[in-house]
Amino acid sequence: QVQLVESGGGSVQPGESLTLSCATSGFTFRDYAMSWVRQAPGKDLEWVADITSGVGKRIYADAVKGRFSISRDNAQNTLYLQLNNLTLEDTAVYYCAKGPRITLGGREYDSRGQGTQVTVSA
């Protein structure tokens, strides 16, 4: 059974940093691309970043490029997201997601965790 468990969220002020973790189990983590996505109140799910399997190529949404960093530890089956220079617009529930792919319906994922709340307020 695939499990994705996010942690590390919290309440911070603009300009501060957080590190999110996603502990995974139930599948061969190193064989899968992984993603972070987020959902702000009243808004649709928004893709944040991907990291591939193998060489771990990373791509980012324009909104977070240069501020966020996705990484993975295949030995620990854990995905990370370093969030720097946070802004009010980064407030959202952050989810890790397994197996991103592009379909006719848009971005889809094999599964997603329960999320961790990040709140940025002055």
Side-chain angles (χ1 to χ4, degrees):
Q1 179 181 358
V2 172
Q3 288 196 326
L4 308 170
V5 181
E6 301 93 338
S7 61
S11 296
V12 297
Q13 295 185 335
E16 294 186 338
S17 298
L18 281 173
T19 301
L20 307 183
S21 300
C22 175
T24 75
S25 62
F27 65 103
T28 305
F29 177 73
R30 65 178 180 271
D31 289 345
Y32 285 86
M34 298 292 294
S35 301
W36 284 98
V37 297
R38 66 186 182 183
Q39 189 163 25
K43 295 190 176 181
D44 293 335
L45 198 66
E46 177 188 18
W47 167 68
V48 173
D50 285 350
I51 186 167
T52 64
S53 60
V55 298
K57 180 180 177 181
R58 308 167 194 191
I59 54 174
Y60 298 94
D62 287 344
V64 307
K65 200 174 296 183
R67 300 187 299 120
F68 290 9
S69 178
I70 188 171
S71 62
R72 65 192 299 160
D73 184 336
N74 289 335
Q76 297 295 323
N77 297 327
T78 302
L79 181 72
Y80 299 98
L81 186 68
Q82 176 68 38
L83 297 74
N84 295 326
N85 195 19
L86 284 158
T87 71
L88 300 178
E89 290 71 32
D90 295 318
T91 295
V93 178
Y94 285 72
Y95 302 90
C96 69
K98 169 183 172 282
R101 59 192 180 276
I102 304 298
T103 70
L104 291 177
R107 272 185 155 262
E108 294 183 359
Y109 307 91
D110 292 344
S111 56
R112 181 156 54 102
Q114 85 291 345
T116 186
Q117 176 71 47
V118 172
T119 301
V120 186
S121 60

